[in-house]
Amino acid sequence: MKEFTHLIDLDDFDLDFIERLITLGADIAVNTKRYSSACFGKVLATLFYEPSTRTQMSFQTAMLRLGGTLIGFDNPETSSVAKGENLKDTTKIVSSYADIMVMRNPVEGSAKAAAISSDCPIINAGDGGHLHPTQTLTDLLTIRMEKGHCDNLTIGICGDLKFGRTTHSLCKTLSKYKGNKFIFISAPELMMPDYIKDIIKANGGTYTEKYSLEEAVPELDMLYMTRIQRERFTDANQQLAANFNLTCDIMKLAKPDLIVMHPLPRVDEIELKVDDDPRAKYFIQAKYGVYVRMALILEVLKNDHPVKLLTKGFGSYDCTNPKCVTQREKYLPHSFHRKGDVLVCDFCEAVTLP
Amino acid sequence: MKEFTHLIDLDDFDLDFIERLITLGADIAVNTKRYSSACFGKVLATLFYEPSTRTQMSFQTAMLRLGGTLIGFDNPETSSVAKGENLKDTTKIVSSYADIMVMRNPVEGSAKAAAISSDCPIINAGDGGHLHPTQTLTDLLTIRMEKGHCDNLTIGICGDLKFGRTTHSLCKTLSKYKGNKFIFISAPELMMPDYIKDIIKANGGTYTEKYSLEEAVPELDMLYMTRIQRERFTDANQQLAANFNLTCDIMKLAKPDLIVMHPLPRVDEIELKVDDDPRAKYFIQAKYGVYVRMALILEVLKNDHPVKLLTKGFGSYDCTNPKCVTQREKYLPHSFHRKGDVLVCDFCEAVTLP
Amino acid sequence: MKEFTHLIDLDDFDLDFIERLITLGADIAVNTKRYSSACFGKVLATLFYEPSTRTQMSFQTAMLRLGGTLIGFDNPETSSVAKGENLKDTTKIVSSYADIMVMRNPVEGSAKAAAISSDCPIINAGDGGHLHPTQTLTDLLTIRMEKGHCDNLTIGICGDLKFGRTTHSLCKTLSKYKGNKFIFISAPELMMPDYIKDIIKANGGTYTEKYSLEEAVPELDMLYMTRIQRERFTDANQQLAANFNLTCDIMKLAKPDLIVMHPLPRVDEIELKVDDDPRAKYFIQAKYGVYVRMALILEVLKNDHPVKLLTKGFGSYDCTNPKCVTQREKYLPHSFHRKGDVLVCDFCEAVTLP
């Protein structure tokens, strides 16, 4: 197992490293052309085991704007590599072709599984619902660029907070900055899970819960909207969904320097007319996603933050998560770390009782 | 709405601009290497909502030969962007990644709809049967290169002239040059529509109609062949279709300096043995398509011919064309211009009665 | 028909040319960066009529590491070019866009058929089960790099030797080097065909046959593993298949300087634990595949070894191989060469009785 600065999970890095990335991303946003040959001669492979056109294009644009080049696939149906062989063999080969690899894979823990046998650094572009760290980096650069800082903010997070993992990652990271107040805006059955609230409290932050945008919006510095899946609401609460649509009327209640963000694509949770409001930052947020990925590629290629992938503990246990990559790729070592009374799988982070 | 030199419809430009493009294309054809770094650092996005491999490769080759780079998609089935979101959001995001965008979309008026929200110039690579302006530019450069000029020619156009819109666009543009005579060669039920004939007459050109290639070929300077779809012939006229197959025997009747063109792909309207005749120019025509697209990319990036997209008139009417982009993308403004007694949709150019 | 250094079939070249390629490949492997601008301004088209992600990525990486650029398609389902038109028209057009073309096509003889009308050199990346010459070049460079030379070796070839054509090509080429001894390891019904044995004997080499890896491995300098398709074994011999799985136990019987190769992907014929044995060279073999393709692209673009494509003999006969490209592309000339009493199709190399 070779050591690289893989980006599998943002939790593998301290706030200093994340700040270094964001600061570099901010410089790239302003002086993009200065970086136009920084990756000359380098090849980025994008291995997308499920289509995600925008994420893939964002990485591709980032590499091209650094003067690098691209290989990869986007369609598992037509990719013999994606169909025909185990993740280890694909990773060994592609990492011998490329200098850096971006992987998206619906199987949880895939990026880490690939990193174990990779001969180049890997960036996780989403592994099932599990992790999607470059979305969080995109969000952080947007806040930095549009608010000037990531601390001392009143932050509204709206939508399906229970299942929407990008909001979990964002809250975990923002809670490391000082003085942030969180307002969670959702239906009771889709509220932020306790373990995120615990992290916020442990980091010295505060949070409240509200059941409508109207009520929450006036005090916000930043509003993070996400998709609502109506089918997840109980029948009794169907009418609640309408409370989480951002309209021009609601924008009238907000501060003049509010910023509105959304990871996109949206369904109908933001009225299209809001796009014309200068406080709507979700399109430029996509552009910042390119800059922060440029910064990430540069930092990862420096390779001065080697990541420890496995704790190598409790190898006789099996992960019980049916979506875990260890269920599919049978050659993988089993590896868990202890967390209180339970064992946590090093790949998918699911909890297994010892 | 930002202003760019979009190429949505050739009619948006005067003959001077078109001549500038063709002249630049002709220079590129001869001195290709001189342009090999002209787009260094630029990114072209090719968004193909329906596959058209050759058109896409032609644009890609053009950008690569200018030293630029590429992002995009070609398969709506595997593109989450193409499936999951409205044209506005996709356009906003991709145009924030790329410096120039090429779009092909089966929905009529899509290119203009995209241009409205784009943050970079857009080139229309076909929107349904509606417009395909870079094919016409390709045809013009071929005539310029192979005949030396685009005026004072006897031009035969053969095939399905009623539904084949590339022939309409070509005739409209060629009629702006002086002294061109048109001979339309087709079955009576597939003849050139009156509105094209009217434009030719208004521009001072002449036309005649013939029902067989044999009869028309001897006087031609240029013969433009297109696909015949046999199923469009009435039963009584089925045997006529054979009259529109170009064979070596018919080539014997033609002038020694005739040029034969075809937008390709062909089915069987040109016998394969004709390929060996030096008057067959349809393969080099494809190559000129790369050069003229190189010229187009350079001109569009100069951005000195801003295009007016909407007249903003008659916004209370609905376009009645079921294939119009306004039927799908409900947020689009309705916008018509008056033409005699009728209203014409600014997006799809279909006629609506006021 | 224009003359180019096409790579359709390794048999078109003498050992001197092959050695030149391997020697250049070896230099590129060591001094990769020196070649990073060797193809600046050149465009490689990869036309994959059947998906083969790894082969395509290998060529793409090769071209990118030479500073060139890429166009092409990988999915015949979404490629209008692959579906809608004859091979000649596609070849004419793409070869007018690109400087060099790589084609993979399930129809036997396709690469030669394309070469006939191409305006640029073509590299055959596999045409049905027929030929796959760049795999053999990859194998040769691996032997050169890992053993230092390709002669005086004891070479084991294991797997389905009857139908596995990459092993045929490898044996033919290795038999041109002096002093090589071949050991074929397979079940009786999947043994190396006589015509390969005849070539080895004619070139002064020797061979033996064995029915288990255990028995063969101790004397080998190189072991070439290939996929076994169990369904090809007779019922009586099903248990034999297990004899052709390479395990760590079998590796204990081998020389310390054995090298193990495999064209990949593997199924289960090599135990995954063997990967950790330093004698396992199949992953670095994939990497050498990039270097030898870089060498090939450079040599082909030099264009100093024009290849004779057709003998133009016996044009009145029809090839009887239903998979031959002449059955699909009806415009192709029929062309055979005599071999003893029979005629051999110049396209697919199938035998036809005169």
Side-chain angles (χ1 to χ4, degrees):
Chain A
M1 202 188 310
K2 294 182 188 167
E3 291 202 330
F4 293 104
T5 307
H6 301 293
L7 175 59
I8 308 300
D9 183 346
L10 267 191
D11 286 351
D12 292 334
F13 299 99
D14 58 20
L15 196 58
D16 278 355
F17 183 80
I18 292 171
E19 275 287 292
R20 198 167 104 184
L21 271 176
I22 302 304
T23 303
L24 179 56
D27 189 61
I28 292 172
V30 178
N31 304 300
T32 317
K33 284 195 178 166
R34 277 194 210 155
Y35 295 84
S36 67
S37 296
C39 283
F40 177 78
K42 300 288 182 190
V43 176
L44 171 78
T46 57
L47 305 196
F48 275 56
Y49 286 80
E50 64 181 351
S52 178
T53 315
R54 188 183 305 106
T55 302
Q56 193 170 20
M57 280 205 265
S58 180
F59 276 109
Q60 290 170 333
T61 306
M63 190 57 171
L64 294 173
R65 296 240 180 248
L66 291 166
T69 56
L70 305 168
I71 58 171
F73 57 81
D74 59 359
N75 184 356
E77 293 307 306
T78 59
S79 168
S80 53
V81 164
K83 277 188 297 187
E85 87 189 348
N86 65 49
L87 194 60
K88 179 188 181 181
D89 286 12
T90 304
T91 303
K92 288 299 288 182
I93 289 164
V94 178
S95 68
S96 82
Y97 292 174
D99 300 293
I100 182 169
M101 212 159 112
V102 173
M103 180 179 286
R104 187 181 185 103
N105 194 314
V107 180
E108 295 183 14
S110 303
K112 185 169 281 187
I116 285 173
S117 31
S118 181
D119 291 321
C120 76
I122 287 186
I123 295 172
N124 184 3
D127 57 346
H130 176 223
L131 294 167
H132 188 19
T134 58
Q135 181 63 54
T136 302
L137 292 174
T138 298
D139 300 339
L140 293 173
L141 179 57
T142 305
I143 299 170
R144 167 76 79 86
M145 295 298 289
E146 297 295 332
K147 299 301 298 182
H149 54 92
C150 296
D151 53 7
N152 294 304
L153 296 169
T154 301
I155 295 160
I157 317 268
C158 177
D160 177 352
L161 308 183
K162 186 171 180 190
F163 299 100
R165 300 235 196 168
T166 56
T167 66
H168 303 176
S169 174
L170 181 60
C171 288
K172 278 202 292 185
T173 312
L174 280 175
S175 75
K176 294 177 184 172
Y177 289 87
K178 288 197 178 148
N180 284 331
K181 283 193 264 181
F182 295 87
I183 302 182
F184 302 131
I185 308 148
S186 192
E189 66 267 45
L190 294 175
M191 261 304 166
M192 193 61 81
D194 287 342
Y195 90 96
I196 296 292
K197 296 176 183 171
D198 292 344
I199 290 171
I200 290 171
K201 280 187 282 188
N203 286 330
T206 61
Y207 67 86
T208 52
E209 299 185 338
K210 303 222 162 151
Y211 304 115
S212 90
L213 269 170
E214 212 158 358
E215 199 188 337
V217 147
E219 48 184 316
L220 300 179
D221 299 310
M222 189 273 266
L223 170 59
Y224 199 88
M225 297 293 298
T226 62
R227 279 181 294 286
I228 287 274
Q229 292 173 275
R230 275 165 212 285
E231 59 276 21
R232 284 196 165 140
F233 284 77
T234 55
D235 287 345
N237 277 327
Q238 277 294 330
Q239 73 282 14
L240 259 182
N243 287 357
F244 312 118
N245 286 341
L246 186 63
T247 61
C248 290
D249 281 345
I250 292 178
M251 288 299 285
K252 286 179 193 156
L253 308 172
K255 288 186 186 174
D257 63 348
L258 169 75
I259 63 170
V260 179
M261 296 169 60
H262 191 298
L264 301 182
R266 62 178 154 181
V267 185
D268 56 5
E269 58 276 357
I270 302 180
E271 193 183 27
L272 269 77
K273 284 180 185 159
V274 173
D275 302 357
D276 300 324
D277 190 309
R279 294 170 291 181
K281 300 297 183 189
Y282 31 91
F283 292 128
I284 199 168
Q285 184 182 358
K287 188 160 194 164
Y288 291 135
V290 173
Y291 299 134
V292 89
R293 286 178 177 95
M294 290 171 74
L296 179 63
I297 290 168
L298 290 173
E299 283 295 334
V300 160
L301 285 172
K302 271 193 205 163
N303 207 23
D304 59 3
H305 265 67
V307 168
K308 192 186 176 191
L309 296 169
L310 298 182
T311 58
K312 299 190 179 169
F314 306 97
S316 61
Y317 288 94
D318 294 330
C319 180
T320 52
N321 173 8
K323 294 179 182 168
C324 178
V325 67
T326 59
Q327 305 277 3
R328 300 233 191 161
E329 309 278 333
K330 294 297 187 187
Y331 55 86
L332 286 172
H334 293 193
S335 177
F336 297 83
H337 54 279
R338 188 176 279 284
K339 195 171 181 182
D341 290 342
V342 298
L343 295 182
V344 177
C345 174
D346 281 342
F347 289 96
C348 71
E349 291 176 47
V351 161
T352 291
L353 291 175
Chain B
M1 202 187 306
K2 295 183 188 166
E3 292 202 328
F4 293 105
T5 306
H6 301 293
L7 176 58
I8 308 300
D9 183 346
L10 268 192
D11 287 351
D12 292 334
F13 299 99
D14 58 19
L15 196 57
D16 278 355
F17 182 79
I18 292 172
E19 274 288 291
R20 196 167 106 184
L21 270 175
I22 302 304
T23 304
L24 179 56
D27 189 62
I28 291 172
V30 177
N31 304 302
T32 318
K33 285 195 178 166
R34 277 195 210 153
Y35 295 84
S36 66
S37 298
C39 283
F40 176 79
K42 300 288 182 191
V43 176
L44 172 77
T46 58
L47 304 196
F48 275 57
Y49 286 79
E50 64 182 351
S52 179
T53 316
R54 188 184 305 106
T55 302
Q56 193 170 21
M57 280 205 264
S58 181
F59 276 107
Q60 289 171 333
T61 306
M63 190 57 171
L64 294 173
R65 297 240 180 249
L66 291 167
T69 56
L70 304 168
I71 57 170
F73 58 80
D74 59 0
N75 183 357
E77 293 306 306
T78 60
S79 169
S80 52
V81 165
K83 276 188 297 187
E85 90 190 342
N86 65 48
L87 194 60
K88 179 188 181 181
D89 285 13
T90 304
T91 304
K92 287 300 287 179
I93 289 165
V94 178
S95 68
S96 81
Y97 292 175
D99 299 293
I100 181 170
M101 213 159 112
V102 173
M103 181 179 287
R104 187 181 185 103
N105 194 314
V107 180
E108 295 183 15
S110 304
K112 185 170 281 187
I116 285 174
S117 31
S118 181
D119 290 321
C120 75
I122 286 187
I123 295 173
N124 184 2
D127 56 346
H130 176 225
L131 294 167
H132 189 17
T134 59
Q135 181 63 52
T136 302
L137 292 174
T138 298
D139 301 338
L140 292 173
L141 180 59
T142 306
I143 299 170
R144 166 76 79 84
M145 294 299 289
E146 298 295 332
K147 299 301 296 182
H149 54 92
C150 296
D151 53 7
N152 295 302
L153 297 168
T154 301
I155 295 160
I157 316 266
C158 177
D160 177 352
L161 308 183
K162 186 171 179 190
F163 299 101
R165 302 234 197 168
T166 57
T167 67
H168 303 177
S169 172
L170 181 60
C171 288
K172 279 203 290 184
T173 312
L174 280 175
S175 75
K176 295 177 184 173
Y177 289 87
K178 288 197 178 150
N180 284 330
K181 284 192 264 180
F182 295 87
I183 302 181
F184 301 132
I185 308 147
S186 192
E189 67 265 45
L190 294 175
M191 262 303 165
M192 192 63 79
D194 287 341
Y195 89 96
I196 297 293
K197 295 176 185 173
D198 292 344
I199 290 171
I200 290 172
K201 280 188 282 188
N203 286 332
T206 62
Y207 68 86
T208 53
E209 298 185 339
K210 304 222 162 153
Y211 304 116
S212 90
L213 268 171
E214 212 158 359
E215 200 189 335
V217 147
E219 47 183 315
L220 299 178
D221 299 310
M222 189 272 266
L223 170 59
Y224 199 89
M225 298 292 298
T226 62
R227 279 180 295 284
I228 289 274
Q229 293 174 273
R230 275 165 212 286
E231 60 276 20
R232 284 197 166 140
F233 283 78
T234 56
D235 287 344
N237 276 328
Q238 277 293 329
Q239 74 281 14
L240 259 182
N243 286 358
F244 312 118
N245 285 341
L246 186 63
T247 62
C248 290
D249 281 345
I250 292 178
M251 288 299 285
K252 286 179 193 156
L253 308 172
K255 289 185 185 173
D257 63 349
L258 169 76
I259 63 169
V260 180
M261 296 169 62
H262 191 298
L264 301 180
R266 63 178 154 183
V267 185
D268 57 5
E269 58 277 357
I270 301 179
E271 192 182 29
L272 270 78
K273 284 179 185 162
V274 174
D275 301 356
D276 300 325
D277 190 310
R279 294 170 292 181
K281 301 297 182 190
Y282 31 90
F283 291 129
I284 198 167
Q285 183 183 358
K287 188 160 193 163
Y288 292 134
V290 173
Y291 298 134
V292 89
R293 286 178 177 95
M294 291 170 73
L296 179 62
I297 291 168
L298 290 173
E299 284 294 335
V300 160
L301 285 172
K302 271 192 205 163
N303 206 25
D304 60 3
H305 265 67
V307 168
K308 192 186 176 190
L309 296 170
L310 298 181
T311 58
K312 299 191 178 166
F314 306 96
S316 61
Y317 287 94
D318 294 330
C319 180
T320 53
N321 173 9
K323 294 179 182 169
C324 178
V325 67
T326 58
Q327 306 277 2
R328 300 234 191 160
E329 309 278 333
K330 295 297 187 187
Y331 55 86
L332 287 172
H334 293 194
S335 177
F336 297 83
H337 53 280
R338 188 177 280 285
K339 196 172 182 182
D341 290 342
V342 298
L343 295 182
V344 177
C345 174
D346 282 342
F347 290 96
C348 72
E349 290 176 48
V351 160
T352 291
L353 291 175
Chain C
M1 202 187 307
K2 294 183 189 167
E3 292 202 328
F4 293 105
T5 306
H6 300 294
L7 175 58
I8 308 299
D9 182 348
L10 267 191
D11 287 352
D12 292 335
F13 298 99
D14 58 19
L15 196 57
D16 278 356
F17 182 80
I18 292 172
E19 274 288 291
R20 197 167 106 184
L21 271 176
I22 302 304
T23 303
L24 179 56
D27 189 60
I28 292 172
V30 177
N31 304 301
T32 317
K33 284 196 178 166
R34 279 194 209 154
Y35 296 83
S36 66
S37 297
C39 283
F40 176 77
K42 301 287 183 192
V43 176
L44 172 77
T46 59
L47 304 196
F48 276 56
Y49 286 81
E50 64 182 350
S52 178
T53 316
R54 189 183 306 105
T55 302
Q56 193 170 20
M57 279 206 265
S58 180
F59 275 108
Q60 289 170 332
T61 307
M63 190 58 171
L64 294 173
R65 296 239 179 250
L66 291 167
T69 56
L70 304 168
I71 58 170
F73 58 81
D74 59 0
N75 184 358
E77 293 307 306
T78 58
S79 168
S80 53
V81 165
K83 276 187 297 187
E85 89 189 346
N86 65 50
L87 194 59
K88 180 189 180 181
D89 285 12
T90 304
T91 304
K92 288 299 288 180
I93 289 165
V94 177
S95 68
S96 81
Y97 292 175
D99 299 293
I100 182 170
M101 212 159 113
V102 173
M103 182 180 286
R104 187 181 186 104
N105 195 314
V107 180
E108 296 184 12
S110 303
K112 184 169 281 187
I116 285 174
S117 32
S118 180
D119 291 320
C120 77
I122 286 187
I123 295 173
N124 184 1
D127 56 346
H130 176 224
L131 294 167
H132 189 17
T134 58
Q135 181 63 53
T136 302
L137 292 174
T138 298
D139 301 339
L140 292 173
L141 180 58
T142 306
I143 299 170
R144 167 76 80 86
M145 295 297 289
E146 297 295 332
K147 300 301 297 183
H149 54 92
C150 295
D151 54 6
N152 295 304
L153 297 169
T154 301
I155 294 160
I157 316 267
C158 176
D160 177 350
L161 308 184
K162 187 171 180 190
F163 300 101
R165 300 235 198 167
T166 56
T167 68
H168 303 177
S169 174
L170 181 61
C171 288
K172 279 202 290 185
T173 312
L174 280 174
S175 75
K176 295 177 182 171
Y177 289 87
K178 288 201 177 146
N180 285 332
K181 284 194 263 180
F182 295 86
I183 301 181
F184 301 131
I185 308 147
S186 193
E189 67 266 43
L190 295 175
M191 261 304 164
M192 194 61 81
D194 287 341
Y195 90 96
I196 296 293
K197 295 176 183 170
D198 292 344
I199 289 170
I200 290 171
K201 279 188 285 190
N203 285 332
T206 62
Y207 69 85
T208 53
E209 299 185 338
K210 304 221 161 152
Y211 305 115
S212 88
L213 267 170
E214 211 159 1
E215 200 189 335
V217 145
E219 47 184 316
L220 299 178
D221 299 310
M222 188 272 266
L223 170 59
Y224 198 90
M225 297 294 297
T226 62
R227 280 179 296 284
I228 289 273
Q229 293 174 273
R230 275 164 214 287
E231 59 277 19
R232 285 200 166 136
F233 283 77
T234 55
D235 287 346
N237 277 328
Q238 277 293 330
Q239 73 283 11
L240 260 182
N243 286 358
F244 312 118
N245 286 340
L246 186 63
T247 61
C248 289
D249 281 344
I250 292 178
M251 288 299 285
K252 288 180 191 154
L253 307 171
K255 289 185 185 174
D257 64 348
L258 170 75
I259 63 169
V260 180
M261 295 168 63
H262 191 296
L264 300 181
R266 62 178 154 182
V267 185
D268 56 5
E269 57 277 356
I270 301 179
E271 193 183 29
L272 270 77
K273 284 180 184 160
V274 173
D275 301 355
D276 300 325
D277 190 310
R279 294 170 293 182
K281 301 297 183 190
Y282 30 90
F283 291 128
I284 198 167
Q285 184 182 358
K287 187 160 194 166
Y288 292 135
V290 173
Y291 298 134
V292 88
R293 286 179 177 94
M294 290 170 75
L296 179 62
I297 291 168
L298 290 172
E299 284 295 334
V300 159
L301 285 172
K302 272 192 205 163
N303 207 24
D304 60 3
H305 266 66
V307 168
K308 194 186 174 191
L309 295 170
L310 298 180
T311 59
K312 299 191 179 169
F314 307 98
S316 61
Y317 288 94
D318 294 330
C319 180
T320 53
N321 173 10
K323 294 179 184 169
C324 178
V325 68
T326 59
Q327 305 278 3
R328 301 233 190 160
E329 309 277 334
K330 295 297 187 187
Y331 56 87
L332 286 172
H334 293 193
S335 177
F336 297 83
H337 54 279
R338 188 177 279 285
K339 195 172 182 181
D341 291 342
V342 298
L343 296 182
V344 178
C345 174
D346 282 341
F347 289 96
C348 71
E349 290 176 49
V351 161
T352 293
L353 291 175

